[in-house]
């Protein structure tokens, strides 16, 4: 399976299909060149983000060269980057909604 890293400064890549836990993911650049391989630490569905490096608590999550939020815990290389470990700086999503998203997606925590 592949994931695309849209900007050289990004610390996440977007999955181009579903991946299973422990599946190797090819990371491609915007020019469609393979630039890395990452082992998925959990099941991640199409369109979601995978961490390309260890992300410290409080660090900005960069996609397309822009911050899309901040981590609320340490995020290891290969982990799903989503509501269970990131908070938006633009939207204040209620905790009950976050919990429902985690439940509906079956996100491992």
């Amino acid at each position: 399976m592949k994931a695309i890293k849209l900007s050289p400064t990004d610390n996440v890549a977007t999955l181009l299909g579903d991946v299973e836990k422990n599946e190797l993911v090819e990371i491609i650049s915007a020019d469609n060149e393979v630039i890395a391989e990452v082992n998925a630490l959990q099941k991640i569905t199409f369109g979601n983000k995978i961490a390309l490096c260890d992300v410290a608590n409080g660090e900005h999550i960069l996609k397309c060269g822009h911050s899309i939020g901040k981590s609320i815990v340490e995020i290891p290389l290969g982990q799903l980057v989503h509501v269970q470990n990131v908070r938006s700086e633009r939207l204040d999503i209620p905790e009950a909604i976050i919990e429902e998203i985690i439940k509906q997606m079956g996100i491992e925590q």
Side-chain angles (χ1 to χ4, degrees), residues 2 10 19 22-24 46 56 63 75 77 84 89 96 106:
K2 294 183 180 185
D10 292 353
V19 296
N22 295 318
E23 187 174 339
L24 197 60
F46 168 77
K63 181 177 175 182
I75 304 171
L77 167 70
Q84 85 285 5
E89 295 176 301

Side-chain angles (χ1 to χ4, degrees), residues 58-61 67-73 85-89:
E59 190 174 336
H60 286 275
I61 303 302
S67 176
I68 59 169
K70 279 190 177 179
S71 61
I72 57 168
V73 295
N85 53 23
V86 175
R87 290 298 176 269
S88 171
E89 295 176 301

Side-chain angles (χ1 to χ4, degrees), residues 4 15 19 38 45 55 72 81:
I4 188 166
L15 270 288
V19 296
V38 174
T45 55
V55 179
I72 57 168
V81 178

Side-chain angles (χ1 to χ4, degrees), residues 13-29:
T14 303
L15 270 288
L16 301 177
D18 296 345
V19 296
E20 296 298 321
K21 184 175 185 174
N22 295 318
E23 187 174 339
L24 197 60
V25 179
E26 280 189 340
I27 309 302
I28 61 171
S29 69

